[in-house]
Amino acid sequence: MTALLERVAKAASTTAFGLSAAAVAFFLLAAAIVVGFLFWQTNNLLTNQVLGVLTAEARIMASEMKAGGRPKLAETVSAMSRLQGAGLYYLSDENGVKIAGNLNRIPPELVENARGGVFNYQPAGEAGNAHAHLAVAIPVELGPEVRLIVGRDIEDQRAFADSIRVAFLLGFGILSVAGLIGGLAVSRLILNRMDAITATSRSIIDGDLTRRIPTSGGNGELDKLAGNLNEMLDRIEGLMSGLREVSDNIAHDLKTPINRLRNSAEAALRDPRGAEAYREGLERTIEKSDELIKTFNALLLIARLEAGPLEDSVETFDLGRFVEDVTELYMPAAEEAGFALSIEAEKGVCVRANRQLIGQAVANLIDNAIKYSRAGEPGSAITVRAYRQNGRPAFSVGDHGPGIAAEDRERALKRFVRLEASRTQPGTGLGLSLVAAVARLHHGEVRLEDNHPGLKVVVLLSGKCLTSVLPGGVSTPSDVAAGDAAQ
């Protein structure tokens, strides 16, 4: 019993119960106003109906008095008093002696009220301890010779009003209890969901990043909240996994070049040739340092992209013409490496993005295609395309190299991942990672597809664009190619 009371007290202290109780109180207040208004209107209707009947009877009595005098009036009152109805009458002479009627006396409530009113009376034929009836009566002005009181029994109306009052109170009581029980049930349900979220959060705090908040399978607000939180947890787990992977790869991709840099400097110092050896050693040191600086610049750029959107640096431009300009910068390098670099760019593909970052992504993909494709073989061509796919601007770079196996494509987009086991080719494994970061920044995605043979990298961007009318000129992104830091 104590545990049950504790659970009820805990549920009653929740915000959900407070909101439910407030909603029930507001509903009861609104219902009270509506029912009170209806009761008031009903009472007015019944009162006006009774007063209308009394006024009509008073006119009849006045007509009888005018037509036949007091005898005729007395006969009419006696006849109406014998009827089994709700009419009440009292006719007396100028001295107060009763002449006719079914009331024994003038009600005390009407003695001092010349306009009539409500009174209690004991119906004839009922026992003395019977319930007194409620009635209303008005005096009828017929001259100084007689005094006439005309009334109606309104006990039925009072019983009706009492039944409405009882039903009103009973209904309010039931609604109040049902509302409180419903509030407790709702708060308990929400409390159970909150307890599940709290338990999951505690497990995650303790280090279990694989835990997720359970959902009921519906489409309610709590399920939407749980879904958003689970997506956030997936993102956090991915970032933590990427951080661990980066840490593991840094040991190989950065520690080894730094050790080689140190060994090269030490070897130069020990070289007996003197100044000539020192100069060669410094030149090699500068070259290796530049490679390390490019690696760190790429890491900083990726971190900057993943930190959030750069709304202040976006602009609207023609993606096709821009990609064509970037590709033209790489044609000499491709021809020197033995590749045929072709461009298929649709004009008028509107995109709103950061021009430099899009150029960086295109340059990285072209440089990767040149680096990892096989030159001199039949079909050794690299194709760069800019087009619109399902209403979204896109660009792609396809080659006829070894490609990437389907099971390795998702991993290839992560930082420091190099699928070449020997790592004899120069590079840091940050090129595709930077392209993926650029795509995420622009609310897009990167797809690695089979080019039959080779690899085709497709970058889909957001379809939002402020205008479809683009300026005629697009600046050449030479600064992008010169600033390539992801290879």
Side-chain angles (χ1 to χ4, degrees):
M1 186 65 180
T2 304
L4 177 61
L5 292 177
E6 289 179 355
R7 287 198 298 269
V8 171
K10 184 178 180 181
S13 63
T14 60
T15 303
F17 179 79
L19 294 176
S20 299
V24 171
F26 177 79
F27 175 77
L28 291 178
L29 178 61
I33 294 174
V34 173
V35 173
F37 177 76
L38 292 177
F39 181 78
W40 177 68
Q41 287 288 87
T42 303
N43 185 67
N44 284 342
L45 178 64
L46 295 176
T47 300
N48 292 333
Q49 182 180 4
V50 171
L51 291 177
V53 172
L54 294 179
T55 303
E57 289 189 354
R59 293 194 186 100
I60 294 174
M61 298 302 178
S63 299
E64 294 293 330
M65 180 67 179
K66 185 176 181 180
R70 191 167 74 177
K72 179 63 174 176
L73 178 62
E75 180 181 352
T76 301
V77 171
S78 298
M80 296 183 69
S81 299
R82 288 193 295 269
L83 297 176
Q84 298 296 326
L88 300 175
Y89 309 95
Y90 183 83
L91 178 63
S92 63
D93 58 16
E94 63 274 12
N95 298 321
V97 178
K98 179 181 177 181
I99 300 175
N102 51 7
L103 287 176
N104 296 327
R105 59 188 177 88
I106 297 177
E109 294 86 352
L110 303 180
V111 173
E112 298 179 357
N113 191 350
R115 299 181 58 185
V118 179
F119 63 94
N120 293 308
Y121 81 101
Q122 192 73 34
E126 293 188 5
N129 57 355
H131 174 66
H133 285 211
L134 185 67
V136 61
I138 59 173
V140 183
E141 294 293 336
L142 298 176
E145 299 181 2
V146 294
R147 185 176 184 183
L148 176 63
I149 301 295
V150 177
R152 301 288 293 181
D153 188 314
I154 57 173
E155 186 64 24
D156 291 341
Q157 287 88 336
R158 182 172 71 172
F160 176 70
D162 290 342
S163 65
I164 291 179
R165 188 178 297 108
V166 171
F168 175 76
L169 296 176
L170 184 62
F172 268 43
I174 294 175
L175 286 176
S176 300
V177 174
L180 293 176
I181 294 176
L184 287 172
V186 170
S187 60
R188 186 60 192 171
L189 177 62
I190 296 178
L191 193 61
N192 289 338
R193 296 294 300 275
M194 292 297 105
D195 289 342
I197 294 175
T198 302
T200 303
S201 303
R202 179 55 57 186
S203 298
I204 294 173
I205 292 174
D206 293 337
D208 186 4
L209 296 179
T210 61
R211 290 289 302 275
R212 294 296 180 266
I213 299 172
T215 58
S216 62
N219 195 30
E221 287 76 10
L222 289 178
D223 279 338
K224 291 180 180 179
L225 174 62
N228 291 335
L229 292 176
N230 286 337
E231 290 182 6
M232 179 187 69
L233 293 173
D234 290 338
R235 177 64 174 157
I236 292 174
E237 184 182 11
L239 291 176
M240 295 300 294
S241 299
L243 180 60
R244 286 193 295 267
E245 188 171 350
V246 168
S247 300
D248 293 340
N249 285 281
I250 280 178
H252 189 284
D253 290 271
L254 294 183
K255 183 180 179 180
T256 300
I258 291 175
N259 286 334
R260 289 176 179 173
L261 185 65
R262 182 186 181 281
N263 294 335
S264 177
E266 185 176 359
L269 288 176
R270 293 177 179 177
D271 196 311
R273 292 180 298 166
E276 182 181 355
Y278 299 159
R279 183 178 182 84
E280 292 177 357
L282 287 175
E283 289 176 351
R284 289 194 299 270
T285 300
I286 291 174
E287 292 176 359
K288 295 177 181 178
S289 297
D290 288 339
E291 293 297 325
L292 288 175
I293 290 173
K294 291 170 69 175
T295 299
F296 281 110
N297 285 340
L299 286 173
L300 290 174
L301 180 57
I302 293 173
R304 178 187 174 197
L305 295 179
E306 292 181 343
L310 306 175
E311 292 296 338
D312 296 337
S313 62
V314 297
E315 56 183 302
T316 302
F317 56 92
D318 188 330
L319 180 64
R321 298 190 64 176
F322 182 73
V323 171
E324 188 175 24
D325 289 341
V326 177
T327 305
E328 289 177 354
L329 294 177
Y330 276 84
M331 283 186 175
E335 292 177 359
E336 183 179 351
F339 294 101
L341 182 58
S342 62
I343 173 68
E344 300 174 6
E346 295 181 11
K347 298 299 188 293
V349 179
C350 171
V351 65
R352 181 168 174 77
N354 182 296
R355 186 191 299 268
Q356 181 178 357
L357 294 179
I358 296 298
Q360 181 77 69
V362 176
N364 282 11
L365 294 180
I366 296 176
D367 190 76
N368 278 350
I370 295 174
K371 184 185 300 181
Y372 294 107
S373 297
R374 299 186 182 95
E377 296 183 0
S380 58
I382 299 174
T383 303
V384 182
R385 295 184 59 211
Y387 54 97
R388 186 173 293 277
Q389 179 175 325
N390 298 327
R392 298 174 62 183
F395 62 88
S396 65
V397 176
D399 59 55
H400 295 284
I404 298 178
E407 61 271 15
D408 294 329
R409 289 173 184 173
E410 182 177 356
R411 189 168 65 90
L413 296 176
K414 298 180 180 179
R415 280 176 279 185
F416 287 112
V417 174
R418 298 178 63 190
L419 301 179
E420 183 196 18
S422 61
R423 303 198 177 204
T424 57
Q425 290 282 356
T428 60
L430 295 174
L432 286 178
S433 178
L434 189 142
V435 173
V438 171
R440 285 195 298 269
L441 175 68
H442 294 88
H443 307 288
E445 58 181 313
V446 177
R447 297 177 182 175
L448 304 184
E449 301 176 354
D450 194 345
N451 202 34
H452 304 291
L455 177 68
K456 180 181 179 181
V457 182
V458 179
V459 180
L460 288 172
L461 303 175
S462 172
K464 296 180 180 179
C465 186
L466 293 183
T467 176
S468 58
V469 181
L470 297 172
V474 179
S475 61
T476 302
S478 57
D479 57 330
V480 171
D484 184 9
Q487 306 308 315

